[in-house]
Amino acid sequence: MALDADLVGRTFPATAPYLVTEERVREFAAAAGGSWQGGPVPATFPIVLAFAAMNDFLDDVGVELRRIVHGEQRFAYERPVRPGDVLSATLAVASLRSIGGNDLVGTRSEIRDAAGALVCTATATLVHRGGPDE
Amino acid sequence: MSDTAPAVPSPPASPLAVGAELPVQRYPLTRADLVRYAGASGDRNPIHWSERTALAVGLPGVIAHGMLTLALAARAVATWTRDAEVLELGSKFTAPVVVPDDDEGVVVEVRGFVKDVAEGRASLALEVTCGGQKVLGQPKAVVRV
């Protein structure tokens, strides 16, 4: 299934507010084999928000997660994430092109705190694979 | 970590000198790590735990989350920079890290080079490989120094 070109420029609703707890940060650090004892939150932690926004987006446009492979991910941080933050991500589709039966979807998710201040911008390329069993 | 070898020179004041090659970091990955990461990150895509699904969508087997590989690269950056504030981080995911269903799994190796240090920012070029093959495309990090 090819995605519709008029998705480009669309902004999707913000994700449900997410409370960053010490326990969540500890679990995230441990999942990459590390440990967290109160220092900086792991740099890739905002993917939790960006991923939630991507899931909402895929549900909205009717794409199965299993057909998605991550092509590129970048983070630009305005400030570090801290336990106690209540964060929400807003995803916009920045680009869409088709190569060899796959859609390359460029997304940009702004992750903001409860006051609306930008914490991190996460940009991603999602590869939507047209597969053998589709 | 050595505390008994006086012949070892003390480390430089800052490891982030332009041109410096940072010590390689090695991280093992097994299927169990993938399941753990799926839970902690919320990424429950079955291509990261179901061989059947991975093969059905044309992948060579169960693959690690690209973001898990990038998280390992970020761990290396934190180690090298002693937890410096990260200002930018990113990469392309150019080759899948296929993780076999055994106890050994695979080893992800992260190398780093200091490209530039200016105006309180250090830019690090990374090289992330698995089995001798680069798996991330142009991974880089910028940290506050």
Side-chain angles (χ1 to χ4, degrees), chain B residues 16 21-22 25 27-29 42-43 45 53 56 61 86 95 99 103 112-113 120 122 126 131 134 138:
Chain B
L16 300 183
E21 184 172 343
L22 302 162
Q25 307 291 308
Y27 304 111
L29 276 187
D43 183 348
N45 191 330
T53 305
V86 179
V99 180
D103 294 332
F113 311 88
L126 312 178
K134 284 188 192 180
Q138 299 166 297

Side-chain angles (χ1 to χ4, degrees), chain A residues 28-75:
Chain A
F28 189 88
S35 66
W36 183 79
Q37 284 140 0
V41 168
T44 61
F45 186 84
I47 197 63
V48 174
L49 277 297
F51 195 83
M54 186 199 73
N55 266 338
D56 289 355
F57 160 67
L58 295 179
D59 281 350
D60 193 298
V61 299
V63 165
E64 291 178 285
L65 179 61
R66 68 192 187 105
R67 298 219 162 267
I68 295 291
V69 172
H70 214 158
E72 181 171 2
Q73 182 71 48
R74 301 201 172 273
F75 300 98

Side-chain angles (χ1 to χ4, degrees), chain A residues 24 27-34 39-40 43-44 47-48 51 55 65-80 129 131-133, chain B residues 33 36-37 40-47 53 55-59 67-68 70-72 74-75 83 85-93 137-138 140:
Chain A
R24 290 279 191 169
E27 282 174 9
F28 189 88
T44 61
I47 197 63
V48 174
F51 195 83
N55 266 338
L65 179 61
R66 68 192 187 105
R67 298 219 162 267
I68 295 291
V69 172
H70 214 158
E72 181 171 2
Q73 182 71 48
R74 301 201 172 273
F75 300 98
Y77 306 87
E78 300 299 318
R79 69 159 174 86
R129 297 165 63 90
D133 72 340
Chain B
D33 295 310
R36 194 175 194 184
Y37 185 80
S41 68
D43 183 348
R44 302 183 189 92
N45 191 330
I47 63 173
T53 305
L55 295 174
V57 298
L59 293 167
M67 282 307 303
L68 174 52
L70 190 56
L72 297 175
R75 257 183 86 189
D83 282 332
E85 181 184 349
V86 179
L87 302 171
E88 295 174 29
L89 177 73
S91 78
K92 296 179 181 179
F93 304 106
Q138 299 166 297
K140 64 170 280 196

